[in-house]
Amino acid sequence: MQDTVVYSGYLNTYQNDRKLHYVFVQADTDADKAPLTIWLNGGPGCSSLIGYMQEVGPYIVGDTYKFGEDLKKNQYRWNRASNMLFIESPGAVGFSTDKNPEINYNDRQTADDCFVAIKDFMWNIAPEFTNRPLYVRI
């Protein structure tokens, strides 16, 4: 089995002072042909890293917090068949950032930011996915 390839960074939103953190995991096999699945955890304020680290990501983080015993390959990982994009939203959740501490998020704001972030990923970071099947898990 090949090593799991993981990327992380920030995606743009409608607001210049707000960035959404993402983790991208390549598919285990045929990553250059596999579809893209976007994972958005429910909210409000629920980090998609929960999905990444406890549900469908390549590894499961344990709860013993002992070196060598916490990180296990997830036998149910979705990246066996699909490239996975985990986006933390809204801004200020998890590692996402927002310089405006007074913002009150709502579903519309969060959806608009995610839409811009997905376009940023698809057009600027990984345009090779624009012609592949796309799945969104909300």
Side-chain angles (χ1 to χ4, degrees):
M1 178 183 298
Q2 72 179 33
D3 292 331
T4 301
V5 178
V6 179
Y7 298 92
S8 180
Y10 289 91
L11 300 169
N12 292 314
T13 66
Y14 277 113
Q15 302 295 320
N16 289 334
D17 58 354
R18 182 169 44 246
K19 305 289 182 193
L20 299 185
H21 175 252
Y22 76 93
V23 174
F24 172 75
V25 182
Q26 280 187 336
D28 280 348
T29 56
D30 292 327
D32 58 337
K33 297 177 185 168
L36 176 65
T37 300
I38 299 172
W39 182 275
L40 301 167
N41 267 56
C46 185
S47 169
S48 289
L49 288 185
I50 293 171
Y52 171 70
M53 295 187 292
Q54 292 293 323
E55 298 172 336
V56 300
Y59 301 100
I60 296 292
V61 177
D63 58 2
T64 61
Y65 301 104
K66 293 180 184 171
F67 182 75
E69 296 180 13
D70 289 331
L71 199 59
K72 295 185 255 181
K73 195 78 158 177
N74 182 359
Q75 64 179 332
Y76 305 109
R77 64 194 177 276
W78 285 22
N79 71 301
R80 283 182 178 211
S82 181
N83 295 287
M84 299 292 298
L85 176 63
F86 299 86
I87 301 176
E88 292 193 281
S89 66
V93 166
F95 293 105
S96 291
T97 63
D98 193 335
K99 293 180 182 176
N100 181 359
E102 303 299 321
I103 187 102
N104 290 315
Y105 292 101
N106 58 46
D107 287 344
R108 180 59 189 221
Q109 177 70 49
T110 301
D112 289 347
D113 281 347
C114 281
F115 181 66
V116 172
I118 291 167
K119 287 193 312 185
D120 187 29
F121 182 82
M122 299 282 284
W123 293 348
N124 300 320
I125 295 172
E128 63 271 19
F129 290 107
T130 57
N131 293 317
R132 292 199 217 166
L134 173 68
Y135 304 95
V136 180
R137 189 285 182 189
I138 300 175

